[in-house]
Structure formats: C-alpha cells, structure tokens
C-alpha cells in the first residue's frame, strides 16, 4: 500500500518504526534556539517563501523493507515548458545522476518542475515528468522535454533494487505540490536517507535580502541530505562533543540542493549562487566524500522565458549587478546550513531494509551541547 505523507505518522505508529517520544519531540533549528547567521528568514522559513514556488511529497512505506519517496519543487503555477524559468546548476562532486543537467548548462533555463528521488528511480521519474509535461494544455505538439531529476541513494534503509517508486508516485508529488509550510525530515525523497550516521531527510529554509526601496527579495532552499562527516552545529563540533559509543561518522553519500529566488538574476549569476550553496553545506561537516553526488539547481521566478518567442526578444527586468551579489551569496549559504539542520532535527527514527535502523538525532543532546557553548538564542541575547 502506498502511503502519502498525510498518513505517514499513523503508519509509523502501526509498524513501530519510531517511538511516540521521538515523534512528539521533533523541532526545527530555530524552535530549539539555534539561529543560523544574521539574515532574517521568510514567513515560513522555507523555499515556498518565494512567491509561486510549491513543494509536494510522496512518501512510500511498504512492509519492512521499502522506505523511499519523491519530492517535487514546482517553480510557478503555470505551464513551465511554455514559460521556462532562468536557471543555473553547479556540480560540486559528480558522483551522482542529475538528469537534464547538460541542457540547463547550455541554455540557462529549466522547462519542467524539479523532482528528487532515489538513485535507481531517476529513469522512472524522468518518464513520469515527461508525461506530466506532455499532458499540460498547450503542449500538444511538444516532441522534446528536458526533465530535471536529482537523486541520492537511500539503499541502506530502502530496498532500492526493488524499483518501488512508480510513475504514479511522481505524479502524486507533482499534483500535491502546495505553498506554505513544507513537511521536513522523513518525508518524500528523504524517507530513506541518512546523514552524519543519523536519520537525514528533507530540509528547507529561506532568507530575506533587503532592497533599497524597503522591500525584500527572497532566497529559499530545499535539500535532500544523505551525506556524512562529523556534524558541526554553528561551529560547535557536535559529533565529537557527544562522544557516544556506537555513534560513528557516516563517510559517504550525497546532497541535492534546490535554490529558488524572486530576484532578477541572470542564469550566469544563478550558477554563481548555486556554487555558494556548498559553503553552507561545508559549515555542517568536516569533509565531502569521493562517493558524494552534490549538485545545486538554482532558478529565478522574476521573469519567464517563452518557449515560442515568435522572433521577439525575451523581456527581462534589469538584472542584479555583480557587485550586489554578496548579500545573495550570504543568504544562500545561511539558508543551506539551516536546511541541513532542519533535515536532521525533523527526521524521525526509521527501521528499514534488512532490519537496519537510523536513529533520529537526539535533540536533548543538541540543546545540551549548544548550551555548554552558550550558543542558544544567541541573536536574541545580543540585541
């Protein structure tokens, strides 16, 4: 039976994957007093703070061995193929399978939603995303679609060789995509992932970039954490501090990052923005492994690129100047760092394939270590 995230916690209880205590004590970083950086987050501190951006999940839990899913990021509510958005991709370490990369690199835009799933389900997700695009009104004569699909490997907790993600699961994530708060942790494409030897998953965050006229641009990120190393939290060496028997550093894995903004950035500066995402990731770990597939996809909703220009020039607002990019670099670095923490803190303990178990990080340990260094609610105390 396929289970969406709406019923996820009910199923967890029934199958005893996680204790009631674990479920009731999950919290985002800011909810326990961990404030990353100095910039302000958006209203819900998620990628969906960027107007028009929506996120959908399909969480798949079946029997004892299937722990996987799909996460979809939809840039705007219209026909994305006919109204493409500018985009840039940065590959930090290419041990991964990011479908659609080369065309985005060549043309500087994306023409489908972005789908995240597990490594061996990329082909299924591509087929579903192509069919989804062809079925959109206005695409009746389309004969080529550059589907953008990213992945990390959830094979430790999931029977990945069983190909349990279906086209229907991908379509469900796309059709359920919504604005507002985004479910995090053990949901969607993060259902079976692990990070730093704990349960990883989906995390999101956002930052507001002030404008001269008193309003703000928004930079939002969503990521699928499945990488390793020693965990650092706001500069505190957390893994070393707890020094618990049995806690070993996960050394391999990957991270897929999606960045959205409503700022008018050129595709060149979107690629530069994508590069800086890995500074935020680096602040959470001590190294990035040989077998880590790390990519960032960055797009802007500030303007659209028509599929059919009819010989006319593409209209775009004045671009943010290179000299004004620093605040955007700062924003994406802070947001990615916080999204990694949210992916860990919101995840719940999961037992999966061949009885393997990934424990949720103990938030009481997190608070204790941060209090030791006097690092909780630091911004509030400095005001």
């Amino acid at each position: 039976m396929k289970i969406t995230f709406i019923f996820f916690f009910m199923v967890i209880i029934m199958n005893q994957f996680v204790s009631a205590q674990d479920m009731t004590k999950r919290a985002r970083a800011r909810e326990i007093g961990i404030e990353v950086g100095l910039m302000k987050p958006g209203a819900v501190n998620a990628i969906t703070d960027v107007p028009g951006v929506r996120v959908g999940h399909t969480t798949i839990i079946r029997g004892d061995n299937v722990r996987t899913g799909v996460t979809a990021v939809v840039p705007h509510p219209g026909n994305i193929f006919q109204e493409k958005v500018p985009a840039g991709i940065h590959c930090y370490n290419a041990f991964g399978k990011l479908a659609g990369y080369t065309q985005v690199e060549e043309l500087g835009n994306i023409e489908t939603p972005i789908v995240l799933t597990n490594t061996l389900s990329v082909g299924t997700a591509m087929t579903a995303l192509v069919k989804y695009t062809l079925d959109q009104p206005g695409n009746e004569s389309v004969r080529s679609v550059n589907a953008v699909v990213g992945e990390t490997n959830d094979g430790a907790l999931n029977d990945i060789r069983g190909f349990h993600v279906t086209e229907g699961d991908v379509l469900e994530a796309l059709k359920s995509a919504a604005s507002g708060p985004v479910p995090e942790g053990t949901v969607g494409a993060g259902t079976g992932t692990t990070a730093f030897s704990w349960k990883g998953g989906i995390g999101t965050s956002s930052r507001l970039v002030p404008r001269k006229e008193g309003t703000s641009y928004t930079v939002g990120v969503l990521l699928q954490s499945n990488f390793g190393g020693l965990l650092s939290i706001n500069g505190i060496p957390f893994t070393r501090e707890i020094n618990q028997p049995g806690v070993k550093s996960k050394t391999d894995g990957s991270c897929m990052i999606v960045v959205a903004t409503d700022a008018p950035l050129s595709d060149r500066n979107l690629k530069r923005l994508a590069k800086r995402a890995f500074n935020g990731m680096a602040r959470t770990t001590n190294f990035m492994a040989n077998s880590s597939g790390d990519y960032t996809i960055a797009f802007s909703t500030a303007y659209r690129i028509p599929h059919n220009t009819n010989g006319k020039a593409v209209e775009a607002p004045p671009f943010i100047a290179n000299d004004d990019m620093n605040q955007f670099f700062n924003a994406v670095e802070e947001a990615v760092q916080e999204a990694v923490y949210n992916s860990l803190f919101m995840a719940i303990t999961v037992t999966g394939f061949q009885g393997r178990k990934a424990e949720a990080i103990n938030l009481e340990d997190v608070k204790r270590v941060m209090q030791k260094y006097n690092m909780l609610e630091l911004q509030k105390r400095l005001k």
Side-chain angles (χ1 to χ4, degrees), residues 211-369:
R211 302 172 65 179
K212 292 180 181 179
E213 54 267 39
T215 58
S216 298
Y217 292 119
T218 302
V219 175
V221 308
L222 179 142
L223 56 80
Q224 179 189 23
S225 68
N226 192 43
F227 62 99
L230 302 176
L231 174 62
S232 294
I233 303 176
N234 271 1
I236 306 304
F238 177 78
T239 302
R240 291 174 178 167
E241 279 289 330
I242 61 170
N243 193 29
Q244 293 179 348
V247 174
K248 299 179 181 179
S249 173
K250 170 185 167 79
T251 59
D252 57 3
S254 305
C255 189
M256 281 295 312
I257 304 171
V258 180
V259 178
T261 184
D262 57 357
L265 303 184
S266 65
D267 60 281
R268 178 181 54 80
N269 270 333
L270 285 166
K271 187 176 180 67
R272 296 178 72 210
L273 188 70
K275 290 180 182 179
R276 269 63 177 193
F278 292 105
N279 288 346
M281 179 181 167
R283 293 171 186 169
T284 70
T285 187
N286 62 320
F287 83 109
M288 299 178 190
N290 169 70
S291 58
S292 191
D294 307 310
Y295 301 85
T296 299
I297 307 164
F299 65 86
S300 171
T301 62
Y303 59 102
R304 301 179 187 180
I305 302 166
H307 178 63
N308 293 312
T309 61
N310 296 318
K312 297 180 180 178
V314 175
E315 294 184 4
F319 291 144
I320 299 294
N322 291 338
D323 288 344
D324 293 327
M325 285 299 296
N326 285 347
Q327 56 190 344
F328 293 95
F329 296 157
N330 189 15
V332 76
E333 291 170 17
E334 287 189 10
V336 167
Q337 182 183 354
E338 185 165 342
V340 171
Y341 300 150
N342 286 338
S343 74
L344 287 166
F345 299 169
M346 291 298 289
I348 56 178
T349 299
V350 170
T351 300
F353 186 55
Q354 297 181 341
R356 297 182 188 125
K357 187 176 185 179
E359 297 277 356
I361 194 169
N362 188 315
L363 295 187
E364 293 304 313
D365 284 344
V366 173
K367 289 187 282 187
R368 174 177 56 80
V369 170

Side-chain angles (χ1 to χ4, degrees), residues 6-142:
I6 298 173
F7 304 104
F8 180 65
F9 292 113
M10 183 181 300
V11 175
I12 291 290
I13 295 171
M14 292 171 60
N15 289 279
Q16 298 181 340
F17 299 147
V18 63
S19 70
Q21 184 179 18
D22 288 331
M23 290 171 51
T24 58
K25 292 191 175 182
R26 307 320 291 167
R28 306 184 81 194
R30 286 176 184 265
E31 293 171 346
I32 60 175
I34 296 174
E35 300 159 328
V36 176
L38 299 175
M39 301 184 76
K40 293 182 179 180
V44 297
N45 194 16
I47 193 171
T48 49
D49 284 320
V50 178
V53 175
R54 295 170 294 146
V55 173
H57 298 299
T58 301
T59 299
I60 307 168
I61 299 174
R62 189 179 301 122
D64 296 328
N65 293 322
V66 181
R67 310 286 183 267
T68 193
V70 180
T71 295
V73 179
V74 184
H76 65 71
N79 184 328
I80 299 169
F81 185 89
Q82 296 295 333
E83 297 181 290
K84 310 175 199 300
V85 294
I89 294 176
H90 180 66
C91 170
Y92 185 86
N93 195 62
F95 200 102
K97 295 84 188 165
L98 176 55
Y101 175 24
T102 57
Q103 184 169 308
V104 177
E105 180 74 9
E106 184 71 19
L107 301 182
N109 60 53
I110 59 174
E111 59 190 27
T112 70
I114 299 160
V115 169
L116 306 179
T117 187
N118 74 59
T119 303
L120 297 188
S121 296
V122 171
T124 299
M126 287 183 66
T127 299
L129 193 49
V130 168
K131 289 181 178 179
Y132 169 85
T133 301
L134 295 179
D135 286 342
Q136 300 297 302
N139 293 350
E140 291 80 7
S141 59
V142 171

Side-chain angles (χ1 to χ4, degrees), residues 156-168:
L157 294 175
N158 175 50
D159 173 26
I160 194 169
R161 288 170 59 94
F163 296 95
H164 299 285
V165 173
T166 68
E167 293 178 24

